[in-house]
Amino acid sequence: MIYHLDGAVIATGFDVPVEPLRRAAHFTGEPGCIAEARTFAAQFLQQLRTEWCAVVDERADGAVLLVVSELVTNADRHSEGPYILELEGTDTALTVTVYDSSARLPRVFPRDPERVGRHGLEIVRALARDVSVERVPVGKRVCAVLPLVDAG
């Protein structure tokens, strides 16, 4: 049913939940895949802004691209096969998921500013509000949920 209130059209009766925006990309591990994944994520963020009217602050924009880079780089380095990047977003959060063919779960190392390298998951955990890792039938899935606006 539609109501008119002072010239404005107000639709009611739309109790069906809206599905999040979802996109996936398949990468072979060829040179340039990490840059392609970042471009894919940047285009996804723009689509969220357009289709979901999402407000993505500058910090969140950079955090999403960094998390995508870290997770795709890890998949590229530690798996023996292609990997999949899935992005799912709404107006408040974006979930970055990477599937790869290695069943070996990533290790979280103790914080050590003297250590060179192996900071990827540490960075992802610092930027995301939730990070999960699990084995799946063909390898593993690493998932990070990021807010689109800094609550601080």
Side-chain angles (χ1 to χ4, degrees):
M1 178 171 272
I2 296 177
Y3 291 100
H4 297 274
L5 179 66
D6 296 330
V9 177
I10 301 173
T12 61
F14 294 101
D15 296 333
V16 178
V18 176
E19 289 292 317
L21 181 63
R22 292 185 183 97
R23 298 288 179 267
H26 178 268
F27 297 96
T28 61
E30 296 294 317
C33 283
I34 297 163
E36 289 176 24
R38 287 175 58 89
T39 299
F40 179 76
Q43 291 169 345
F44 184 84
L45 284 166
Q46 187 55 42
Q47 196 171 5
L48 266 182
R49 288 180 180 101
T50 303
E51 294 181 21
W52 270 82
C53 299
V55 175
V56 183
D57 69 23
E58 190 175 319
R59 181 185 182 283
D61 196 58
V64 167
L65 297 180
L66 183 53
V67 167
V68 165
S69 291
E70 291 295 337
L71 295 183
V72 169
T73 297
N74 287 345
D76 192 64
R77 287 185 181 160
H78 302 292
S79 70
E80 293 182 22
Y83 43 91
I84 297 169
L85 168 63
E86 283 185 350
L87 302 174
E88 179 179 295
T90 64
D91 58 334
T92 59
L94 188 143
T95 302
V96 177
T97 304
V98 175
Y99 294 87
D100 70 45
S101 60
S102 172
R104 196 172 91 220
L105 300 180
R107 291 180 53 202
V108 178
F109 293 92
R111 192 175 183 159
D112 180 2
E114 302 290 319
R115 184 178 66 247
V116 176
R118 299 188 178 230
H119 292 280
L121 200 52
E122 182 181 343
I123 291 168
V124 171
R125 290 175 70 194
L127 295 172
R129 74 173 178 224
D130 186 39
V131 177
S132 62
V133 179
E134 67 179 335
R135 286 189 177 93
V136 294
V138 295
K140 71 175 164 296
R141 177 178 76 172
V142 182
C143 185
V145 180
L146 295 99
L148 295 179
V149 177
D150 188 13

